[in-house]
Short mmCIF file of all heavy atoms in Angstrom, two decimals:
data_model
loop_
_atom_site.label_atom_id
_atom_site.label_comp_id
_atom_site.label_asym_id
_atom_site.label_seq_id
_atom_site.Cartn_x
_atom_site.Cartn_y
_atom_site.Cartn_z
N THR A 109 -4.57 17.69 15.22
CA THR A 109 -4.64 16.64 14.27
C THR A 109 -5.86 15.80 14.26
O THR A 109 -6.48 15.49 13.34
CB THR A 109 -3.36 15.73 14.44
OG1 THR A 109 -2.15 16.64 14.38
CG2 THR A 109 -3.31 14.64 13.24
N GLU A 146 -3.56 15.15 2.95
CA GLU A 146 -4.56 14.28 2.56
C GLU A 146 -3.97 13.11 1.75
O GLU A 146 -4.64 12.02 1.75
CB GLU A 146 -5.73 14.95 1.77
CG GLU A 146 -5.24 15.47 0.45
CD GLU A 146 -6.37 16.26 -0.18
OE1 GLU A 146 -7.55 16.21 0.20
OE2 GLU A 146 -6.11 16.96 -1.26
N GLU A 190 -8.82 -14.68 5.35
CA GLU A 190 -10.22 -14.89 4.84
C GLU A 190 -10.65 -13.62 3.95
O GLU A 190 -11.45 -13.80 3.07
CB GLU A 190 -11.19 -15.06 6.04
CG GLU A 190 -11.35 -13.91 6.92
CD GLU A 190 -10.19 -13.77 7.93
OE1 GLU A 190 -9.21 -14.42 7.83
OE2 GLU A 190 -10.26 -12.86 8.77
N THR A 251 -23.61 -33.12 -12.63
CA THR A 251 -22.69 -32.74 -11.59
C THR A 251 -21.32 -33.37 -11.82
O THR A 251 -21.09 -34.16 -12.77
CB THR A 251 -23.21 -33.08 -10.14
OG1 THR A 251 -22.34 -32.58 -9.16
CG2 THR A 251 -23.11 -34.64 -10.03
N LEU A 285 -0.83 -36.21 -12.28
CA LEU A 285 -1.99 -35.84 -12.98
C LEU A 285 -1.96 -36.20 -14.47
O LEU A 285 -3.02 -36.67 -15.04
CB LEU A 285 -2.25 -34.28 -12.83
CG LEU A 285 -2.72 -33.93 -11.44
CD1 LEU A 285 -2.85 -32.42 -11.34
CD2 LEU A 285 -3.91 -34.68 -11.01
N ALA A 363 13.12 13.30 -4.98
CA ALA A 363 13.42 11.77 -4.96
C ALA A 363 14.50 11.53 -3.94
O ALA A 363 15.34 12.26 -3.79
CB ALA A 363 13.80 11.34 -6.27
N GLU A 434 -16.01 -6.37 -14.31
CA GLU A 434 -16.18 -6.72 -15.69
C GLU A 434 -15.42 -5.83 -16.64
O GLU A 434 -14.86 -6.28 -17.64
CB GLU A 434 -17.73 -6.71 -16.09
CG GLU A 434 -18.48 -7.85 -15.23
CD GLU A 434 -17.97 -9.25 -15.58
OE1 GLU A 434 -17.42 -9.52 -16.68
OE2 GLU A 434 -18.28 -10.10 -14.68
#
Side-chain angles (χ1 to χ4, degrees):
Chain A
T109 305
E146 66 184 350
E190 69 281 8
T251 191
L285 293 177
E434 294 298 335

